[in-house]
Amino acid sequence: MTCRFRCGDACFHEVPNTSDNEYVGDVIAGALSRRSMMRAAAVVTVAAAGAGAVTVGAAPEAQAAADAGQGKGHGHGHGQSKPKGARGLRFTPVAPNTNDAVTVPDGYRQNVVIRWGEPILRGAPAFDPENQTAKAQAGQFGYNNDFLALLPLDERGRQLLVANHEYTDEVLMFRGYDAENPTREQVEIAWAAHGLSAVVVEEDRRTGKLTPVTRHQLNRRVTATTEFRLTGPAAGSDLLKTSADRTGRKVLGTLNNCSGGTTPWGTTLHGEENFNQYFANSSRTTDKRYGIGTGATERKWERFDKRFDVAQEPNEVHRFGYVVELDPYDPDSTPRKHTLLGRFKHEAATVRLTSDGRPVVYTGDDERFDYFYKFVGSKRMKKGSSRAAREHNLSLLDEGTLYVAKLTGDSPAIEIDGTGKLPGDGEFDGSGVWIPLVTADEDGAVSHVEGMSAEEVCVFTRLAGDKVGATKMDRPEDIEPSPKTGKVYVALTNNTNRGVGSYAKADEANPRNANKHGHVLELTEHRNRADSLKFGWSLFLVAGDPEDSATYFAGFPKENVSPISCPDNVAFDDHGNLWLSTDGNALGTHDGLFGVATSGERRGELKQFLTVPTGAETCGPLIQDRRVLVAVQHPGEVDGASVENPASTWPDGAGKIVRPAVVAVWRADGSDIGV
């Protein structure tokens, strides 16, 4: 079911990337015009300068048991008063389990912050799943929450929560849903359930709970019909013009927002990921590279709006697949889609600043054998909250250079046999370069890819990556730099096609054939400069059962780590520990959230902090000093499940509809997490 509704059965279709990618990248300069070379050189010059557990189930009695400190799913070390671990990770790990609940360590408590359908805008009604309407949903918290951000407010005990709503599970939303004949009302409810939510939340200082502040003036819903502004080199080009928008600068809605990021200037970024599944009836080669289908879609939206029918509106699909920027502090602002950050299946977009204040954005393309990218801006961020500063900062992602990564291993190819066995030097590692694709400034844009214009690079970024020989990776998803060390961590979820049949075989950066568990890449920019064009890399984790010889945990003794499979979203705590959420655990237990030390004598010690209910994915981890937030996405999403035949009773118990929700976890004694 997850494959059907989240990505349109992507893994059951032909891999979109059929390129050979043997192009070294050093011939790019020869293909540039004199003007292009001069501008590219200027950009490069600037860059160079610059387990004891508490199980909380669905029913109220389960919550009461948790509050009493009872539960199941005990892990190693249960009963220890002071669990060992790196600072920030001193908790007794939760054991792998299949509980239909959110299970947290001993000594921790939790609450459901907000569920699908809870009203957040003035005039929105209480949630009634049997009588839901599109108008009601447009004022309520959306479906399948993913990325989470918590932004500060000048209101005591309050923060602004921003959430992505990736996709909809119609069979779990509507009683008696007919997949072959959805109604217009059901389709319009789904449009309203996609997008983004901004909602103020308030802390109960006595208990640690977070609760939504309904009808606050900053609360906002962005849906599949909200107006967006297209920016960057492709904005206004013929590739983005439609019958409804002759300017090529306005588009309705955002779709399949997966992970994202927060910016130093106070906005949030949201990655449009599996947008391909919403568009029908394509016959173009360029669309095939993006996985656009030739027939009808799962949801049949094309029956109700021609913009989802490529045969009728060939350019509408070109207007999705970007990084979206939202100003959560201005509920009347128009969100933007930044074409300079490229068009592909963005899992996330995380930001850091160069030493001179320019933005650097990392983003991955969540597809088997696709690439990961870096954008280096050319304008400096302005400090302050004046209107002029905010307008300037909202344009930072429209000038600079987009790069794609090429990795080279340092071990003989014969030592990479596809089993995950470490090479002779004891580590999967090597070097890499960032290959420029397109540069834009106030005078215009230039392509660095032979045979492609700047607009084409922005709209057909995957093809640009093919041409310059980027390294094919095993589903690069979330990417985030450490605030402590500056090292960049890339979650590579899995790729069961690696080394199968005619598909690309294992290499040092993707060392296992039929890779079902994934791995985590640690990247060190040259001289630790965010704008560097060179980097070193190593595999920090090779996921799976620690008893499997093909796994690796940064050299830490494997008998002392938790099993992990399919790393997806990443986050950091203030101690520099990396936190990993999983999606699609191939070890037979439920997905969860894990913390792992990245430095010191415990580097590589990985501990499971929580697990999520049946059918659910752990998303949007957000680690604060005294609180952890996760988005519990698609609970009950199991083949054969429906409203009438639920596979989960989370979060409200038997007889209630299954609802995605945001969960907060804190220590019962009010102390910091894991200390």
Side-chain angles (χ1 to χ4, degrees):
M1 187 185 292
T2 302
C3 296
R4 284 174 56 200
F5 287 100
R6 182 174 60 194
C7 60
D9 280 331
C11 292
F12 295 94
H13 295 297
E14 179 183 350
V15 173
N17 191 352
T18 59
S19 62
D20 291 332
N21 280 22
E22 295 178 349
Y23 188 87
V24 179
D26 57 2
V27 302
I28 297 175
L32 300 177
S33 66
R34 189 174 190 295
R35 177 168 176 266
S36 299
M37 290 174 65
M38 292 175 64
R39 294 177 65 182
V43 171
V44 172
T45 300
V46 170
V54 175
T55 300
V56 180
E61 56 269 23
Q63 178 69 58
D67 290 340
Q70 300 170 3
K72 57 184 178 180
H74 301 295
H76 299 297
H78 175 60
Q80 294 179 357
S81 59
K82 294 182 179 180
K84 296 180 180 179
R87 187 168 178 82
L89 300 177
R90 293 169 186 164
F91 54 83
T92 303
V94 169
N97 63 73
T98 56
N99 301 328
D100 186 27
V102 173
T103 304
V104 300
D106 278 344
Y108 285 78
R109 298 292 180 264
Q110 62 174 293
N111 80 294
V112 174
V113 179
I114 189 168
R115 300 161 171 80
W116 162 50
E118 291 192 28
I120 62 174
L121 301 186
R122 289 183 175 87
F127 181 59
D128 182 355
E130 303 297 340
N131 296 284
Q132 181 70 315
T133 67
K135 181 179 179 181
Q137 179 65 81
Q140 299 167 338
F141 194 69
Y143 199 81
N144 269 346
N145 32 226
D146 197 298
F147 167 72
L148 301 174
L150 272 176
L151 305 176
L153 289 177
D154 291 329
E155 300 180 27
R156 183 175 175 82
R158 291 181 172 183
Q159 299 176 80
L160 180 57
L161 174 70
V162 181
N164 282 356
H165 300 295
E166 187 174 357
Y167 68 101
T168 46
D169 282 298
E170 280 77 356
V171 296
L172 300 181
M173 295 170 67
F174 305 118
R175 187 179 299 278
Y177 181 70
D178 182 353
E180 294 303 315
N181 295 287
T183 67
R184 172 170 286 279
E185 186 71 26
Q186 289 170 336
V187 167
E188 292 185 354
I189 291 170
W191 290 346
H194 277 73
L196 319 171
S197 289
V199 55
V200 173
V201 293
E202 186 169 37
E203 178 183 9
D204 183 327
R205 291 184 174 273
R206 183 180 61 84
T207 65
K209 293 181 180 179
L210 283 181
T211 55
V213 179
T214 59
R215 301 166 180 85
H216 192 280
Q217 65 267 23
L218 289 180
N219 290 2
R220 184 177 185 183
R221 278 303 323 282
V222 173
T223 73
T225 58
T226 300
E227 183 175 307
F228 281 73
R229 173 184 171 189
L230 289 157
T231 70
S237 75
D238 289 342
L239 292 170
L240 298 185
K241 294 177 181 177
T242 67
S243 63
D245 172 31
R246 304 290 185 182
T247 70
R249 296 182 180 276
K250 295 189 299 184
V251 60
L252 295 182
T254 183
L255 298 171
N256 214 262
N257 298 97
C258 196
S259 191
T262 57
T263 69
W265 51 92
T267 64
T268 53
L269 302 181
H270 310 267
E272 294 184 313
E273 193 183 24
N274 294 298
F275 67 93
N276 60 299
Q277 63 170 309
Y278 300 93
F279 294 90
N281 304 324
S282 174
S283 59
R284 298 178 300 195
T285 301
T286 52
D287 286 343
K288 185 176 181 180
R289 180 66 179 86
Y290 281 84
I292 313 299
T294 58
T297 65
E298 171 70 38
R299 294 175 178 82
K300 312 294 188 295
W301 287 5
E302 64 274 16
R303 295 181 185 176
F304 303 93
D305 191 333
K306 69 176 185 178
R307 68 187 180 118
F308 297 108
D309 188 338
V310 176
Q312 296 188 67
E313 284 289 356
N315 283 350
E316 184 71 21
V317 69
H318 296 161
R319 293 142 67 88
F320 292 85
Y322 297 103
V323 170
V324 171
E325 184 170 16
L326 178 74
D327 184 353
Y329 294 109
D330 183 359
D332 298 320
S333 60
T334 301
R336 306 178 183 212
K337 295 191 180 187
H338 293 291
T339 66
L340 186 54
L341 271 62
R343 174 175 166 264
F344 44 87
K345 293 184 178 181
H346 291 273
E347 165 73 18
T350 54
V351 186
R352 67 197 295 195
L353 294 177
T354 63
S355 58
D356 61 351
R358 293 173 292 116
V360 174
V361 182
Y362 298 93
T363 183
D365 187 351
D366 182 11
E367 186 79 73
R368 297 161 295 165
F369 303 109
D370 259 294
Y371 318 127
F372 65 93
Y373 300 78
K374 178 172 81 169
F375 167 81
V376 180
S378 58
K379 297 198 302 185
R380 298 179 182 179
M381 184 187 85
K382 289 186 177 180
K383 296 182 179 180
S385 57
S386 68
R387 181 180 295 274
R390 293 192 72 78
E391 279 301 314
H392 169 83
N393 292 338
L394 283 168
S395 70
L396 291 176
L397 305 185
D398 297 325
E399 294 186 26
T401 299
L402 179 67
Y403 301 88
V404 67
K406 182 175 179 63
L407 288 73
T408 303
D410 67 0
S411 299
I414 195 172
E415 294 186 5
I416 310 301
D417 61 6
T419 66
K421 178 183 177 181
L422 289 171
D425 65 1
E427 193 171 21
F428 296 114
D429 60 350
S431 60
V433 295
W434 292 107
I435 304 174
L437 298 178
V438 60
T439 296
D441 60 25
E442 60 184 6
D443 296 324
V446 60
S447 166
H448 306 307
V449 182
E450 183 178 7
M452 297 183 73
S453 68
E455 294 87 351
E456 288 171 332
V457 172
C458 291
V459 175
F460 305 120
T461 313
R462 281 185 170 180
L463 279 74
D466 296 345
K467 280 181 172 286
V468 302
T471 299
K472 295 180 175 181
M473 304 298 290
D474 287 355
R475 289 185 59 201
E477 299 219 30
D478 207 352
I479 306 175
E480 189 152 341
S482 167
K484 289 287 188 182
T485 66
K487 292 185 178 183
V488 180
Y489 293 81
V490 185
L492 297 140
T493 297
N494 56 39
N495 183 357
T496 54
N497 288 86
R498 174 71 66 176
V500 176
S502 61
Y503 291 119
K505 290 181 169 49
D507 56 40
E508 194 159 2
N510 305 276
R512 289 186 296 191
N513 291 329
N515 178 16
K516 63 182 179 179
H517 296 302
H519 49 284
V520 177
L521 180 80
E522 184 181 68
L523 183 153
T524 305
E525 301 276 23
H526 183 56
R527 295 181 179 175
N528 204 25
R529 295 182 61 97
D531 51 4
S532 176
L533 303 184
K534 297 180 180 180
F535 58 87
W537 63 267
S538 64
L539 294 194
F540 176 62
L541 298 178
V542 180
D545 188 334
E547 295 184 3
D548 183 348
S549 61
T551 58
Y552 176 75
F553 295 82
F556 195 82
K558 295 197 292 185
E559 63 272 17
N560 295 322
V561 302
S562 296
I564 184 173
S565 177
C566 302
D568 187 341
N569 297 142
V570 299
F572 281 92
D573 61 27
D574 287 342
H575 307 287
N577 300 309
L578 177 68
W579 291 70
L580 299 156
S581 65
T582 63
D583 172 21
N585 188 339
L587 293 171
T589 53
H590 286 181
D591 280 317
L593 178 66
F594 302 75
V596 57
T598 61
S599 61
E601 63 180 10
R602 292 185 176 272
R603 173 178 159 88
E605 182 182 26
L606 180 131
K607 303 173 73 173
Q608 185 156 4
F609 182 74
L610 61 74
T611 56
V612 293
T614 302
E617 169 190 350
T618 319
C619 296
L622 201 159
I623 318 300
Q624 297 183 311
D625 289 343
R626 298 193 174 186
R627 183 179 291 108
V628 170
L629 270 78
V630 292
V632 179
Q633 193 187 91
H634 59 73
E637 193 178 62
V638 174
D639 286 352
S642 64
V643 172
E644 297 83 357
N645 182 37
S648 171
T649 62
W650 191 86
D652 297 318
K656 303 290 186 179
I657 195 166
V658 179
R659 299 165 73 179
V662 177
V663 172
V665 182
W666 64 93
R667 276 180 61 164
D669 63 7
S671 301
D672 285 358
I673 299 292
V675 298

